[in-house]
Amino acid sequence: MQSLCRSIARAAAAAAAPSSVYAPLAARLAGGQQQQRRHASAGSTEALADELVAACDKALAAGQRINWVFLGAPGVGKGTYATRISKLMKIPHISAGDLVRDEIKRGTALGAQMEEITSKGQLLPDAMILDILKGRVERGSKSGERGFLLDGFPRTVPQAEALSTFAEVQSVLNLTLREDILVEKCCARRICKECGKNFNIADIYRAGDPPIVMPPLNPPAGCEGKMEQRKDDTEEVVRARLQVYNVKSKPVEGFYGEQGKLTEFEIKGGIPETLPRLLMKILEIVRADK
């Protein structure tokens, strides 16, 4: 909880503080070896990305589609990693959360209902999500998209069953992270109200072998002073969402596990350290899907 409080305290100053205020404590603790690993992982990521694109092209040429689901608790990084992997695989990323937030932002009647429900930390009714998601998948299929990387859905077994009625899921990747870190990361999420990009000011370090090191994802100079926090990113609401997730969403893992489609992946570090490991795992799955 002390680390959570420290991140929240730094968050209070985020809207007006210059970049120097966000000095990454975790990176300083990790020292020069951490920087060396990052430089090495950058080259590794590029090489793995090339291999992954070739593997995806081969699968698509054989008539397969790349329809994947990213599972994981709120704040684990599904959207962050799905977005990056999407660009590397050249497969569209569909975020159920973004679809919902767009509906809310547009001020529709459906969006107002969604905002009232999510602000209490509750899951949206299946019909609401399925309606906007089905429309997005069908539009993509008609425009010739090669598949999708879906995150934020399904969250229940009935949702997974309903998804299968209009999209065949080939593989499911379940991202996991310690709950105390999840809470801290969620409470530190920030969005630039001008450009709409997401950032995270949490500065996480957990001792261990190896230690868990997650430096902040700080806003650039152009976004300083424009940060805002989602209404549902408070500790009370975050913990409520995690409790709901554990009760209703965990069975989804079993649903896909029984079909032989589920792969577990534990996040143990920041993006520079995690992305090459994740790419390698995805490459193994794509090559194994015959």
Side-chain angles (χ1 to χ4, degrees), residues 95 134 181 211:
S95 166
K134 183 178 181 181
I181 298 178

Side-chain angles (χ1 to χ4, degrees), residues 20-31:
S20 59
V21 173
Y22 303 114
L25 173 61
R28 294 199 305 271
L29 290 170

Side-chain angles (χ1 to χ4, degrees), residues 91-150:
I91 304 294
H93 167 224
I94 300 178
S95 166
D98 286 348
L99 292 177
V100 169
R101 284 186 284 274
D102 180 65
E103 196 74 24
I104 292 174
K105 186 176 181 179
R106 290 192 293 115
T108 65
L110 178 60
Q113 296 177 42
M114 290 177 167
E115 184 173 27
E116 181 178 358
I117 294 170
T118 58
S119 65
K120 299 176 183 177
Q122 299 174 357
L123 293 178
L124 293 170
D126 291 2
M128 287 185 177
I129 301 294
L130 287 166
D131 183 41
I132 57 176
L133 178 58
K134 183 178 181 181
R136 171 62 184 86
V137 170
E138 291 179 344
R139 289 193 301 272
S141 180
K142 290 179 181 178
S143 66
E145 290 180 350
R146 310 195 311 171
F148 58 75
L149 303 185
L150 175 62

Side-chain angles (χ1 to χ4, degrees), residues 124-253:
L124 293 170
D126 291 2
M128 287 185 177
I129 301 294
L130 287 166
D131 183 41
I132 57 176
L133 178 58
K134 183 178 181 181
R136 171 62 184 86
V137 170
E138 291 179 344
R139 289 193 301 272
S141 180
K142 290 179 181 178
S143 66
E145 290 180 350
R146 310 195 311 171
F148 58 75
L149 303 185
L150 175 62
D151 88 79
F153 192 95
R155 292 184 174 181
T156 65
V157 171
Q159 287 179 353
E161 293 171 339
L163 175 61
S164 67
T165 65
F166 60 87
E168 181 182 358
V169 174
Q170 276 77 42
S171 295
V172 179
L173 196 62
N174 186 41
L175 305 182
T176 62
L177 181 64
R178 284 172 40 172
E179 185 168 317
D180 61 314
I181 298 178
L182 280 173
V183 173
E184 185 170 351
K185 283 173 62 65
C186 284
C187 291
R189 291 190 294 196
R190 295 294 183 271
I191 302 174
C192 176
K193 56 187 176 183
E194 183 172 292
C195 72
K197 292 184 178 180
N198 294 287
F199 304 96
N200 197 300
I201 62 173
D203 197 352
I204 296 169
Y205 179 86
R206 297 291 191 277
D209 185 20
I212 298 177
V213 181
M214 297 183 178
L217 179 59
N218 294 321
C223 295
E224 290 174 2
K226 303 170 185 175
M227 296 294 98
E228 62 182 9
Q229 184 179 26
R230 283 167 41 180
K231 293 180 181 179
D232 58 344
D233 276 349
T234 63
E235 183 175 355
E236 180 181 2
V237 175
V238 168
R239 292 192 180 280
R241 286 208 308 267
L242 290 174
Q243 183 177 13
V244 171
Y245 174 83
N246 289 329
V247 171
K248 293 187 176 182
S249 298
K250 283 286 187 178
V252 178
E253 299 170 19

Side-chain angles (χ1 to χ4, degrees), residues 71 74 98 111 140 188 241 260 270 273-274 283:
L71 295 180
D98 286 348
R241 286 208 308 267
E273 295 77 28
T274 301
L283 183 58

